[in-house]
Amino acid sequence: MLIFEKSRPGRKCQLLPPCDVELVRPGKEDQREQALHLPELSEGELSRHYTELAKKCHGVNDGFYPLGSCTMKYNPRINEEMAGLAGFAEIHPLQPVSTVQGCLEVLSLAETYLCEITGMDAMSFQPAAGAHGEFAGLLLIKAYHESRNDKKRRKIIIPDSAHGTNPASAVMAGFTVVSIPSGPDGCVDLEKLREAATDEVAGLMLTNPNTVGLFDKNILEITDIIHACGGLCYYDGANLNAVMGVARPGDMGFDVVHLNLHKTFSTPHGGGGPGSGPVGCKKILEKFLPSIRVAKKDGYEVERAKESIGEMKSFYGNFLVVVRALTYILTLGKEGIPQASQNAVLNANYMMHGLKDLYSMAYDTICMHEFVMSLKDLKKTTGISAMDIAKGLLDRGIHPPTMYFPLIVEEALMAEPTETESKETLDDAIQVFRELYELAKTDPEKLHEAPVTTPVTRLDEVGAARHPVLRYLFEETSPQGADA
Ligand SMILES: *Cc1c(COP(=O)(O)O)cnc(C)c1O
């Protein structure tokens, strides 16, 4: 039942003290024509409503969540405690900088550590998501070529194993996308890359590890090829969970990188934000970064870069996500950061090895933090698709892996167990995957009917995509009255 349907006129919860100043209403012409549709409930009903919704959801605190490319790992509670401190949470971006020195120190320290981890020279926390960081990074590349009066560079090279947001961001930044195929080993086809590397190329965007979970073994050659044609190299670092503290994009020849703090650096995500997709760069691009920069002089100051690409978001971005990231980095420390990545890679390989005699792997080699299965053959012989296996997992309390992505693998299931899962959890999940495989062979009908234990059962996916119902249709209400 929706909260609007539980609403009863006049029910209230007194969350705010009564108004003790004179009420001033705007003139008739500035008043809304209809009353706002606000649900009216008591505090108790409200609390129950959201608890009920929370129980219907599956999160990392409920069970295994191996959603490939999303890094759904456990977020230590201490991050939340720090982000909840009044000195961080109850400040205003227009406060005098002398009163928020600690907050500026958080931004400055986080920049220092994340530059150290990525091998970059400067970083901006303004972008609010990974894709937003990509867009910012591409604007840096664009500004760089324009500042050199190099106007013919309109192309961005993107391998077909890139995350789906890469080509979208490149187009939004005004570039044309040149797609490069992957070789049979899942890595960039170097011959094709050489052919594409012309003096019209502004840069390359590489997702690494790529969407099939592989670290491109030719990475140094790739960045050399691009630099030799005058382009810059962009590293999609949303998958940094595989390499943090172990290998640095800056050392591999990359000029720009974005991170997903909400994935790798442990902020709860998946519900639509807030996130943070900071963009880091080498010295040559620093002056183009989004304009607000924190600088350390006697104290911390805020400076505005003159040649900046402009604002990507107001003020400092989603600041509290940065607080969580810094807490995470400081609690893990120099030893813990690489350990987290090593365990993420170990867990993915462990799970892959537990499954690969049944499920065919798209690339049967050592993977990084995630691996991709192809259910093409299973579908041919049993009629059971990647979707059916995913639905079967739901009935067994496991969030499905990412489905039908990457696009270069047919009937793909992409699993990312993350480092925060125990061997027992992985063993249980392997067992469940194996049982579902058996079920596909012996009783496929059962899997076609799944899920049967979830709050909603098998959905009409086509109907949902073609005729989405995104608005609640209210009954007409009366114009706003004097005390509405
Ligand atoms: C998640 C992801 C993105 C996009 O990040 P958002 O925060 O969802 O915009 C980009 N690239 C890769 C490789 C990703 O995994």
Side-chain angles (χ1 to χ4, degrees):
M1 202 186 205
L2 295 179
I3 193 162
F4 299 103
E5 293 160 349
K6 294 179 181 169
S7 171
R8 292 294 173 271
R11 263 222 195 125
K12 280 189 182 149
C13 39
Q14 298 291 2
L15 294 177
L16 297 175
C19 182
D20 59 359
V21 293
E22 193 194 339
L23 214 59
V24 182
R25 292 195 175 278
K28 202 82 202 142
E29 69 283 5
D30 291 327
Q31 285 184 19
R32 56 171 60 250
E33 287 168 10
Q34 288 199 340
L36 257 187
H37 291 296
L38 293 178
E40 297 176 73
L41 283 85
S42 71
E43 191 175 328
E45 289 164 328
L46 196 62
S47 167
R48 276 194 191 148
H49 178 76
Y50 286 109
T51 303
E52 194 182 306
L53 285 183
K55 281 187 191 158
K56 286 182 181 169
C57 295
H58 182 96
V60 283
N61 297 317
D62 297 294
F64 193 35
Y65 204 142
L67 188 65
S69 203
C70 294
T71 315
M72 305 305 284
K73 60 181 173 185
Y74 174 77
N75 308 295
R77 284 299 169 268
I78 188 170
N79 299 350
E80 293 306 312
E81 269 178 49
M82 294 304 119
L85 291 177
F88 293 139
E90 290 170 24
I91 51 165
H92 193 281
L94 292 177
Q95 250 171 266
V97 292
S98 64
T99 64
V100 286
Q101 287 292 303
C103 298
L104 296 178
E105 186 178 359
V106 165
L107 288 165
S108 174
L109 267 185
E111 180 176 357
T112 304
Y113 290 140
L114 289 169
C115 280
E116 169 72 28
I117 289 170
T118 53
M120 293 290 144
D121 297 318
M123 190 170 281
S124 165
F125 293 105
Q126 267 198 356
H132 202 198
E134 291 170 27
F135 182 52
L138 288 161
L139 292 181
L140 296 181
I141 293 179
K142 198 175 184 182
Y144 170 81
H145 292 305
E146 277 171 10
S147 75
R148 294 155 50 95
N149 222 7
D150 194 350
K151 298 252 162 74
K152 61 189 177 306
R153 297 189 181 268
R154 312 299 314 161
K155 293 182 179 165
I156 291 284
I157 297 178
I158 304 181
D160 64 0
S161 59
H163 196 72
T165 48
N166 292 185
S169 301
V171 169
M172 272 190 64
F175 291 111
T176 317
V177 173
V178 180
S179 178
I180 300 286
S182 306
D185 58 356
C187 297
V188 175
D189 183 330
L190 290 180
E191 271 325 298
K192 294 273 172 14
L193 181 67
R194 280 197 193 94
E195 283 165 29
T198 67
D199 63 0
E200 290 179 0
V201 167
L204 159 101
M205 264 185 117
L206 194 77
T207 301
N208 189 65
N210 62 21
T211 55
V212 292
L214 302 180
F215 191 108
D216 203 303
K217 60 182 189 297
N218 304 312
I219 203 143
L220 296 176
E221 216 167 334
I222 291 172
T223 53
D224 277 349
I225 292 171
I226 296 303
H227 285 151
C229 80
L232 295 181
C233 298
Y234 184 102
Y235 189 100
D236 178 333
N239 288 337
L240 207 78
N241 212 48
V243 299
M244 62 174 177
V246 179
R248 311 194 310 166
D251 299 337
M252 303 171 207
F254 288 88
D255 307 288
V256 201
V257 59
H258 89 262
L259 302 175
N260 277 34
L261 295 190
H262 45 289
K263 290 180 183 168
T264 317
F265 294 93
S266 174
T267 272
H269 65 118
S276 177
V279 58
C281 64
K282 287 284 177 73
K283 264 261 154 345
I284 49 163
L285 296 173
E286 183 175 4
K287 61 181 175 187
F288 305 119
L289 279 175
S291 81
I292 292 190
R293 312 272 309 129
V294 177
K296 188 170 185 192
K297 302 266 164 76
D298 289 338
Y300 289 95
E301 288 175 20
V302 177
E303 293 180 340
R304 293 190 177 261
K306 279 195 236 30
E307 290 178 70
S308 160
I309 53 169
E311 306 303 332
M312 298 302 298
K313 197 178 189 306
S314 50
F315 303 107
Y316 308 94
N318 284 326
F319 171 65
L320 293 175
V321 181
V322 184
V323 174
R324 291 183 180 93
L326 182 61
T327 308
Y328 182 70
I329 292 169
L330 290 174
T331 47
L332 285 186
K334 216 177 171 106
E335 296 77 32
I337 294 269
Q339 242 171 39
S341 281
Q342 284 154 2
N343 283 332
V345 172
L346 182 64
N347 278 358
N349 279 287
Y350 182 79
M351 195 172 164
M352 181 171 87
H353 277 265
L355 293 175
K356 71 179 192 181
D357 60 319
L358 288 187
Y359 288 85
S360 23
M361 297 298 153
Y363 299 92
D364 188 7
T365 172
I366 291 177
C367 66
M368 295 300 290
H369 62 308
E370 61 193 2
F371 62 93
V372 181
M373 301 165 257
S374 170
L375 277 65
K376 189 174 78 179
D377 293 338
L378 186 70
K379 188 174 176 193
K380 223 176 272 158
T381 53
T382 66
I384 290 300
S385 63
M387 171 80 83
D388 295 319
I389 295 288
K391 300 292 185 193
L393 288 167
L394 291 176
D395 276 336
R396 285 151 185 87
I398 293 180
H399 193 288
T402 294
M403 305 183 295
Y404 298 100
F405 185 83
L407 302 175
I408 51 178
V409 176
E410 229 179 292
E411 289 297 322
L413 281 182
M414 176 201 219
E416 179 182 6
T418 83
E419 73 278 15
T420 55
E421 299 300 339
S422 66
K423 180 171 177 295
E424 291 70 32
T425 302
L426 298 179
D427 285 336
D428 285 348
I430 289 168
Q431 190 57 33
V432 167
F433 269 87
R434 298 185 71 90
E435 281 167 19
L436 291 176
Y437 195 93
E438 282 311 310
L439 199 59
K441 301 231 144 157
T442 54
D443 194 358
E445 247 340 280
K446 267 248 157 54
L447 270 175
H448 285 307
E449 286 159 15
V452 293
T453 60
T454 46
V456 281
T457 50
R458 184 70 73 121
L459 292 168
D460 173 4
E461 312 262 346
V462 177
R466 296 269 160 84
H467 308 288
V469 181
L470 303 175
R471 286 180 59 212
Y472 184 70
L473 290 178
F474 292 97
E475 286 165 30
E476 282 297 296
T477 48
S478 54
Q480 185 167 14
D483 35 52

